[in-house]
Amino acid sequence: MSSRRNFLHLSGSVLAASALTPLLYSKLHAGVSQNDKIQVALIGCRGMGFYNLEDHLKMSEVECVALCDVDDKVLNERAAKVLELTGKSPKLYKDYRKVLDDKDIDVVIIGTPDHWHCLPTVEACQAGKDVYVEKPLANSIAECQVMLAAARKYKRVVQVGQQQRSGQHWQDVVALVQSGKLGTIRKIRTWGYFEYGKGNPKVADTAPPAGVDYDTWLGPAPKTPFNANRFHGSWRHFWNQGGGLMTDWGVHLLDIPLWAMNVTTPLSVMASGGIYAYPENCIETPDTLNVLYDFGKFTLEWDHAGGIQKGIYGRNYGVAFVGNNGTLVVNREGWEVIAETDNKNAAKTELIPLQPSDPKDHEKHVRNFIECVKSRQQPICDIEYGHNSALVAHMGNIAYRTGNKIFWDAEKGKFKNDEKANALLKPNYRSPWKFPVV
Ligand SMILES: NC(=O)c1ccc[n+]([C@@H]2O[C@H](COP(=O)([O-])OP(=O)(O)OC[C@H]3O[C@@H](n4cnc5c(N)ncnc54)[C@H](O)[C@@H]3O)[C@@H](O)[C@H]2O)c1
């Protein structure tokens, strides 16, 4: 590609000897210059990854140069779509490490299942690439921690796919909570009632479809026979690949209280639930779960149900900040404030009827990332925020799986006096994959 590549390929001694002009100096340190095309590769192309790429391609400065997937069918279909959208054929890879070796690539978008976020992100940071990685940041707490360390050590821009942070209406809600108008907030409810959370009817194991490198799809996760229910899209219901509704939707919704209340991790977590409603289905994660977090000054509830869609406040999912003066209810469809009243029926705060949502949040999120790739600023959902909400979501699952009330030691980054909970912090990577060291 461009002059930038040639410039970066100059040897260190040439650079040291030359009197760097401010422009060249800023180019060297800014990563991508204002004039260059930003060369993007997508790893994991089937679902959300491709949606992310499509929004990247709405920006004239972005070029898709490569696609990577372990499924030939997905790879070929997505390559044809990129050709249709851009007039150019991307390079195709089945091994993400080849993408990271490609010096022309500035940015990788990671749209793989959750168990496949950590290694490509860490190695992309080590290879000097910026990363747009899907949520939840990873499938375990230890993976989130090492990814954050890598982003910081290698000074990379890492945007996490929690696009609500870019939505104007979520920003308005956070400002209203922080204004104090709702009064003291003593509890926050988050909930997700989704049909897909019940899993699918059981089907027999089979051979993997032709053209699928199933061993690489499993990657660092334990070897399990191929089953269509544990593969594309539905891996979310199995612990080795995902964390069920708790992490799939939990990270989006728990992120809002963490942001509005300016907190990171809770003091303690308790959970109850099970596969109560659809025991006949093929699913490992609970279809029914209630989690209670204590942050010292307020409680935070997570409540999920798979297979039903009528949640509280007339919404199947959302966040409710319960204040002394009123309750603010929000989801992707909009927000409102339900005013509290005193004994004489006088409202304690202004009743705010349903306010519209921001349909452009995802596009803005992608644009913010690309702007930050150029400016080297932290993106709006910097990896630290993705890390925090993933930790809180994983804690819900760990409380459920241990049956314990668990206590977090924020300084040590593990649970206090709880071997059972600490054993669930980090997955055992299957050889030849190695847990990354940063
Ligand atoms: N931000 C959002 O609103 C949002 C919405 C949906 C999904 N997501 C997230 O996006 C991610 C992907 O979810 P999905 O529903 O698109 O999953 P999916 O199963 O539909 O697609 C994942 C793709 O990754 C490929 N893949 C797996 N391992 C790979 C590897 N090692 N190298 C290259 N490709 C590999 C698969 O073959 C598949 O094509 C998940 O982390 C999910 O939580 C985010």
Side-chain angles (χ1 to χ4, degrees), residues 417-436:
N417 303 324
D418 193 326
E419 285 321 304
K420 228 167 133 188
N422 283 328
L424 292 173
L425 287 173
K426 181 176 173 183
N428 292 318
Y429 273 25
R430 182 173 65 105
S431 178
W433 305 102
K434 290 200 171 66
F435 194 90

Side-chain angles (χ1 to χ4, degrees), residues 32 36-40 61-63 106-107 370 373-374:
V32 177
D36 278 336
K37 285 270 185 194
I38 296 172
Q39 307 223 333
V40 171
E61 64 269 52
V62 170
E63 200 166 46
D106 305 298
V107 161
I370 292 299
V373 167
K374 293 190 277 188

Side-chain angles (χ1 to χ4, degrees), residues 26 54 73 142 172 178 194 207 212 221 223 280 354 364 407:
S26 72
E54 286 183 306
K73 187 164 177 280
D172 292 345
Q178 293 179 346
F194 290 100
V212 171
K223 198 161 183 76
E280 69 281 10
L354 192 65
K364 288 183 187 170
F407 296 84

Side-chain angles (χ1 to χ4, degrees), residues 43-49 52 68-71 74 94 96 110-117 134-136 161-163 216-217 231-236 248 252 332 362:
I43 302 170
C45 307
R46 180 175 173 268
M48 195 61 190
N52 291 330
C68 171
D69 205 288
V70 296
D71 184 338
V74 170
K94 275 184 106 164
Y96 77 90
I110 299 178
T112 46
D114 303 353
H115 73 293
W116 252 129
H117 289 180
E134 261 313 329
K135 51 48 60 177
Q162 290 168 205
Q163 63 273 10
T216 304
W217 186 92
F231 192 48
H232 287 333
S234 48
W235 47 263
R236 329 172 121 68
D248 206 33
H252 281 307
R332 292 180 184 177
H362 191 271

Side-chain angles (χ1 to χ4, degrees), residues 50 53 57 64 67 78-88 90:
F50 199 76
L53 179 65
L57 290 175
C64 172
L67 297 179
R78 293 319 194 188
K81 187 73 189 166
V82 169
L83 177 62
E84 184 189 316
L85 289 172
T86 68
K88 288 187 187 160

Side-chain angles (χ1 to χ4, degrees), residues 91-229:
K91 289 179 258 185
L92 302 184
Y93 296 103
K94 275 184 106 164
D95 183 341
Y96 77 90
R97 292 168 296 189
K98 301 245 167 68
V99 175
L100 303 183
D101 286 343
D102 186 334
K103 298 274 183 290
D104 280 346
I105 292 168
D106 305 298
V107 161
V108 291
I109 303 168
I110 299 178
T112 46
D114 303 353
H115 73 293
W116 252 129
H117 289 180
C118 178
L119 277 175
T121 300
V122 169
E123 291 169 14
C125 290
Q126 288 167 336
K129 305 192 189 302
D130 295 322
V131 183
Y132 186 108
V133 58
E134 261 313 329
K135 51 48 60 177
L137 183 60
N139 199 32
S140 69
I141 287 179
E143 289 172 306
C144 293
Q145 291 165 329
V146 78
M147 291 162 82
L148 174 59
R152 293 294 183 259
K153 180 169 176 184
Y154 299 102
K155 299 189 168 42
R156 304 324 303 164
V157 172
V158 182
Q159 174 89 299
V160 181
Q162 290 168 205
Q163 63 273 10
Q164 290 175 173
R165 288 236 172 195
S166 291
Q168 184 60 51
H169 85 287
W170 295 99
Q171 293 166 8
D172 292 345
V173 159
V174 168
L176 197 142
V177 169
Q178 293 179 346
S179 75
K181 285 187 183 154
L182 297 174
T184 299
I185 292 169
R186 91 280 297 279
K187 69 165 74 183
I188 303 164
R189 300 187 171 114
T190 58
W191 69 101
Y193 285 30
F194 290 100
E195 179 65 21
Y196 81 90
K198 69 180 183 188
N200 299 309
K202 288 182 178 142
V203 295
D205 294 344
T206 60
V212 171
D213 177 355
Y214 179 59
D215 194 61
T216 304
W217 186 92
L218 286 171
K223 198 161 183 76
T224 41
F226 181 86
N227 189 291
N229 271 334

